[in-house]
Amino acid sequence: MLSVEEALQKILAEVNVLEAETVPIMEALGQVLAEDIISDINVPPLDNSAMDGFAVQSKDTRGASEKSPITLKVTDTVLAGGTPKKEIVTGTAIRIMTGAPIPSGADSIVQFEDTDDQKNKDASSNQRAGQVSIFAETRPGRNVRRTGESIAKDKTTLKRGTVIRPAEIGLMASIGKSRVKVIRRPVVAILSTGDELIEVEKPLPDGKIHDSNAYSIAGLVKRYGCIPKMLGIARDSEKELVKKLKQAQDADMLLTTGGVSMGDYDLVKDIIARDGEMVFWKVRVKPGKPLAFGKIKGRDKNGRAKNIPHLGLPGNATSCMVSFELFVRPTLLKMMGKQNLAKPSIDVIIENTIINDAGRRIYDRAIIEKRNGHYYARLTGPQGSGILSSMSLANGLVVIPEETEKVNKGDTVQALMLDWNEEVNI
Ligand code: AMP
Ligand code: MG
């Protein structure tokens, strides 16, 4: 049976980065830049004040202190978005607000807190007299934001391959770029299989269950920035399955759940093998052993034949989610042009004893908390592969290697963090 790594390598080998598309920057969150972005402006566009205060010549403040303030003549006020009309000459100051351009002649800003403005009882009389008292020395460049210090003109601001996060959207906005070229989001067709399944909005007849997999899987598809295409439920009949699978023809990936285990009506894997190409079936992992991976025939938007990767996820509610995290997620990230495919993982001290008599790699659901500088993991409770609440309680998956027969309480193991932010641009 394939290991998790071998299975993943086989899947990744079958997919490529998708094409680029141009979208409004607000829609690009989580997508990967398909162009270098070079700014044609400086941000900020000119030297400006980092503080509300007074623009001065720093040499005029030499020796100033609370005890022996230095008084300067206030000649003007300049607001953010305004233009200074006066120059600073020795002995003068200009009242200035954060973001306002530095008047020529000034080399420093004294913040209000270091003056009698809004502070000293005499301020009002001083202000009436057009004066300010300075209580502290300043130095050249203090509280001055330099032209282009955030983004320099003609320099590469963002490199192709960067993952777009809120900061990158802000950077693009600040240089006036409203649309951006990014790798497009994969469209993922999702099909549930099973005679026992009923749509979520329909009443539940005896013995039937609602189709939950389509929803948890669609949630994961969306979480990782892709577009779910809901194909609904196919009964366990060959005819219906083949018909439904046709609807996945224009998708970038097909995910089915159920129908891949050993039962009489587990038809999905047989149909992949017959109509498409089966690459592997079964992985040495728990939960999620009966994972099938193959390719089905589809068409791109120009009508050209293409192979669509098809992951036949196990039907059990937890198994299909864990399989998604292990195999589908990295595959989608590769298609989206991302480089970092690994789930964030940390060392945790386990608070349960876990027996591995399956000889497979176990991914148990756990609640992971930091206490006294260490991460601790405790299992969510019963780990049956159909117990979806175990997934709902968990924020991580503890990993028990296939060859480890027993993990004792207090041992350190690896855990995959399910909800950690995963994007870092270096
Ligand atoms: P299967 O692999 O088709 O035998 O399914 C394994 C188990 O998962 C069975 O107990 C199914 O009832 C359950 N199951 C399959 N598909 C779904 C689904 N879409 N939603 C919830 N449970 C499912
Ligand atoms: Mg089934």
Side-chain angles (χ1 to χ4, degrees):
M1 220 184 301
L2 294 178
S3 69
V4 170
E5 287 74 21
E6 288 164 342
L8 180 57
Q9 283 322 313
K10 283 191 188 290
I11 303 169
L12 291 176
E14 297 289 344
V15 300
N16 294 310
V17 178
L18 299 180
E19 329 77 77
E21 62 179 356
T22 299
V23 297
I25 54 173
M26 268 302 286
E27 283 170 26
L29 189 64
Q31 283 178 280
V32 170
L33 261 183
E35 58 177 337
D36 285 337
I37 296 185
I38 297 162
S39 176
D40 56 8
I41 57 168
N42 280 310
V43 182
L46 29 77
D47 292 357
N48 69 92
S49 178
M51 286 285 180
D52 296 323
F54 287 87
V56 299
Q57 290 187 349
S58 53
K59 65 177 171 41
D60 284 352
T61 67
R62 213 164 287 150
S65 69
E66 291 265 357
K67 285 210 180 86
S68 60
I70 284 171
T71 302
L72 299 175
K73 183 171 177 324
V74 180
T75 58
D76 197 8
T77 296
V78 53
L79 306 178
T83 327
K85 300 200 173 45
K86 298 244 170 65
E87 266 185 42
I88 293 282
V89 293
T90 299
T92 67
I94 289 178
R95 227 165 163 262
I96 189 164
M97 302 303 134
T98 305
I102 306 289
S104 75
D107 66 354
S108 184
I109 307 297
V110 180
Q111 58 183 7
F112 280 151
E113 291 84 338
D114 291 336
T115 71
D116 65 346
D117 193 283
Q118 300 164 1
K119 179 177 186 184
N120 190 295
K121 286 192 242 25
D122 297 335
S124 52
S125 59
N126 235 349
Q127 273 171 33
R128 266 194 308 276
Q131 291 183 332
V132 64
S133 292
I134 308 283
F135 298 135
E137 278 190 13
T138 185
R139 53 179 163 71
R142 184 112 192 258
N143 297 326
V144 175
R145 300 196 287 220
R146 293 287 172 208
T147 303
E149 74 176 17
S150 173
I151 301 168
K153 185 171 185 243
D154 299 332
K155 293 254 165 68
T156 304
T157 307
L158 293 170
K159 283 210 208 70
R160 170 199 286 261
T162 299
V163 180
I164 297 173
R165 301 168 306 162
E168 284 71 34
I169 294 180
L171 275 178
M172 291 188 279
S174 65
I175 62 170
K177 189 169 174 70
S178 62
R179 293 172 67 78
V180 62
K181 199 171 157 196
V182 289
I183 306 297
R184 71 175 174 84
R185 299 178 188 277
V187 174
V188 182
I190 300 170
L191 178 67
S192 300
T193 71
D195 285 343
E196 72 280 33
L197 301 178
I198 297 289
E199 286 83 2
V200 63
E201 61 280 355
K202 293 204 177 138
L204 207 54
D206 278 352
K208 306 277 183 184
I209 57 170
H210 283 300
D211 166 19
S212 64
N213 291 352
Y215 293 87
S216 49
I217 294 302
L220 287 164
V221 165
K222 282 181 134 184
R223 161 174 280 194
Y224 297 119
C226 308
I227 303 164
K229 177 176 172 160
M230 308 296 269
L231 300 186
I233 299 169
R235 309 284 139 209
D236 290 321
S237 97
E238 195 180 311
K239 213 171 131 204
E240 198 171 328
L241 210 50
V242 168
K243 195 171 128 207
K244 283 277 188 185
L245 290 182
K246 286 221 164 70
Q247 295 175 21
Q249 268 199 349
D250 56 353
D252 299 301
M253 179 188 277
L254 166 65
L255 298 177
T256 54
T257 64
V260 284
S261 29
M262 300 290 281
D264 290 349
Y265 288 94
D266 287 327
L267 299 168
V268 171
K269 59 181 194 304
D270 306 336
I271 287 175
I272 308 179
R274 193 194 68 192
D275 294 353
E277 184 190 323
M278 175 78 98
V279 179
F280 67 74
W281 176 50
K282 284 192 184 171
V283 184
R284 214 174 149 201
V285 61
K286 185 182 172 189
K289 180 170 82 170
L291 176 77
F293 173 59
K295 293 178 273 184
I296 64 161
K297 293 185 181 70
R299 308 219 155 264
D300 67 15
K301 62 176 188 299
N302 302 316
R304 277 192 293 267
K306 67 168 183 180
N307 283 324
I308 300 168
H310 174 178
L311 280 107
L313 304 176
N316 281 308
T318 294
S319 312
C320 69
M321 288 193 77
V322 172
S323 303
F324 187 107
E325 292 284 7
L326 298 180
F327 302 104
V328 180
R329 176 186 162 279
T331 308
L332 290 174
L333 296 190
K334 178 177 177 189
M335 293 166 91
M336 295 173 85
K338 300 200 181 185
Q339 301 289 327
N340 177 16
L341 307 185
K343 198 86 188 146
S345 79
I346 57 171
D347 283 345
V348 295
I349 300 167
I350 191 91
E351 297 188 284
N352 303 75
T353 292
I354 302 173
I355 307 286
N356 182 1
D357 51 13
R360 289 179 266 154
R361 189 174 312 162
I362 295 180
Y363 290 86
D364 270 347
R365 277 71 68 206
I367 298 159
I368 297 168
E369 283 172 333
K370 196 172 187 181
R371 296 196 298 270
N372 307 322
H374 295 283
Y375 284 102
Y376 290 85
R378 60 181 196 281
L379 299 190
T380 51
Q383 297 288 310
S385 55
I387 303 176
L388 189 53
S389 52
S390 74
M391 201 68 193
S392 167
L393 289 169
N395 63 344
L397 300 174
V398 290
V399 187
I400 315 300
E402 32 282 73
E403 56 288 342
T404 301
E405 287 172 7
K406 186 178 181 198
V407 168
N408 291 304
K409 183 177 170 170
D411 286 353
T412 296
V413 296
Q414 283 273 296
L416 304 185
M417 299 309 290
L418 289 171
D419 304 315
W420 274 14
N421 180 28
E422 309 186 349
E423 308 299 4
V424 181
N425 286 317
I426 34 168

